[in-house]
């Protein structure tokens, strides 16, 4: 059986890189997107096209998906994992950081959806997996705009799911808790970053990227008539 193409954004690190390894292990051809292609190539995965794409660039996302489909056949799944978390107090934070999170976490995810959804609907199958967060289900004032972007991912995913369902396309939201990846290293305020990383450390890092990738694979591996709409997962010790 020929396995379908899986597109993974944010595949150079964290959850995206773990998903790339797991889907490759299952034998899927892959399109991996991120800005750091050296990191994509260093994964050394077979049947893989890597492209240096910024997910905020809609045309570049579409072009890369078309190029991969020409080589490997139509996209059967996309994992929209690219994201940034610039934790900050909204009373003090530079709104440029808000724009960045909105652009990557919301527009970036929608650009991925746009690149694959019409084709999937036409073919009557496909799986869209969007990575949100527990921060998309409840708010944390110290992470206000990040929460807003993840709430948007939840809302858009559920609404797109309703519209895609009659066309046989599944849409799943994954909402993880703390996981020690590179995510928190991009927080610009040193004190805020240290506080966030201390919370992560109190959980010994929380989830691993593989824990999250396994949940994603579990959703994808269900029979096509089963759509797992949402998985919320966190370290057992996480109280928030
Ligand atoms: P990482 O920082 O380890 O990975 C983020 C990935 O996103 C990198 O591959 C990065 O690649 C990519 N990325 C960032 N900006 C862009 C861009 N403009 N264009 C293309 N790619 C981009 O974080 P995680 O793996 O932890 O995060 C993955 C997702 O999971 C994010 O959406 C995050 O919000 C979410 N999440 C993470 C949690 C955690 O605790 N780690 C918890 C809940 C949700 P590059 O820099 O090479 O472009």
């Amino acid at each position: 059986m020929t396995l379908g193409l899986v597109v993974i954004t944010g595949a150079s690190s964290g959850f995206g890189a773990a998903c790339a390894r797991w889907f490759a292990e299952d034998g899927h051809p892959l399109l991996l997107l991120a800005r750091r292609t050296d990191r994509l190539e260093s994964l050394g995965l077979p049947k893989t096209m890597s492209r240096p794409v910024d997910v905020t660039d809609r045309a570049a996302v579409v072009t890369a998906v078309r190029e991969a489909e020409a080589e490997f056949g139509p996209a059967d799944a996309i994992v929209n994992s690219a994201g940034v978390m610039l934790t900050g107090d909204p009373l003090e934070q530079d709104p440029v950081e808000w724009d960045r999170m909105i652009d990557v976490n919301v527009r970036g995810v929608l650009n991925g959806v746009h690149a694959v959804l019409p084709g999937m609907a036409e073919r009557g199958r496909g799986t869209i997996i969007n990575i949100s967060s527990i921060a998309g289900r409840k708010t944390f004032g110290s992470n206000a705009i990040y929460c807003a972007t993840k709430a948007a991912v939840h809302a858009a995913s559920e609404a797109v799911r309703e519209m895609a369902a009659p066309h046989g396309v599944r849409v799943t939201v994954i909402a993880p808790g703390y996981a020690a990846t590179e995510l928190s290293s991009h927080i610009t305020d040193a004190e805020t970053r240290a506080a966030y990383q201390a919370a992560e450390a109190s959980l010994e890092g929380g989830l691993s990227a593989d824990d999250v990738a396994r949940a994603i694979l579990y959703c994808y591996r269900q029979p096509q008539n089963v759509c797992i709409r949402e998985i919320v997962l966190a370290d057992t010790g996480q109280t928030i």
Side-chain angles (χ1 to χ4, degrees):
M1 191 176 90
T2 311
L3 293 168
L5 169 68
V6 177
V7 180
I8 303 173
T9 74
S12 61
S13 169
F15 304 161
C19 282
R21 288 190 212 95
W22 283 76
F23 276 105
E25 183 80 21
D26 273 6
H28 287 273
L30 302 175
L31 169 63
L32 305 184
L33 305 179
R35 293 162 304 173
R36 294 170 293 174
T37 34
D38 54 326
R39 296 278 293 265
L40 300 177
E41 275 147 22
S42 71
L43 290 169
L45 300 173
K47 290 188 291 178
T48 295
M49 182 180 284
S50 300
R51 289 291 176 267
V53 167
D54 185 321
V55 291
T56 65
D57 182 344
R58 185 180 304 134
V61 175
V62 171
T63 299
V65 170
R66 295 295 161 268
E67 212 186 325
E69 289 183 319
E71 183 157 340
F72 298 122
D76 195 49
I78 186 166
V79 180
N80 283 304
S81 189
V84 285
M85 182 190 68
L86 306 171
T87 304
D89 178 344
L91 277 72
E92 295 168 1
Q93 192 170 22
D94 184 342
V96 166
E97 295 195 345
W98 302 356
D99 294 345
R100 187 76 200 137
M101 287 190 282
I102 292 165
D103 285 345
V104 178
N105 300 358
V106 184
R107 290 186 213 282
V109 168
L110 296 179
N111 288 340
V113 169
H114 166 72
V116 298
L117 181 57
M120 287 179 174
E122 206 176 298
R123 295 185 295 278
R125 67 168 282 142
T127 305
I128 293 172
I129 299 175
N130 295 331
I131 313 300
S132 182
S133 169
I134 284 181
R137 305 181 94 242
K138 53 186 188 179
T139 55
F140 307 96
S142 59
N143 216 351
I145 310 308
Y146 180 72
C147 291
T149 65
K150 292 302 185 178
V153 172
H154 263 83
S157 301
E158 175 58 10
V160 170
R161 188 198 60 72
E162 290 172 10
M163 302 306 285
H167 303 280
V169 179
R170 309 184 291 188
V171 181
T172 295
V173 185
I174 305 289
Y178 284 112
T181 62
E182 293 177 15
L183 193 72
S184 62
S185 67
H186 303 295
I187 299 170
T188 51
D189 179 68
E191 212 174 300
T192 308
R193 186 170 63 246
Y196 190 94
Q197 291 177 341
E200 260 177 7
S202 74
L203 296 168
E204 291 172 4
L207 298 170
S208 71
D210 282 332
D211 293 331
V212 177
R214 266 195 306 274
I216 290 168
L217 262 287
Y218 174 76
C219 295
Y220 178 75
R221 285 172 179 160
Q222 298 303 309
Q224 191 69 25
N225 68 310
V226 177
C227 174
I228 296 178
R229 297 184 182 184
E230 182 178 3
I231 287 188
V232 183
L233 72 163
D235 186 282
T236 304
Q238 181 172 333
T239 54
I240 55 172

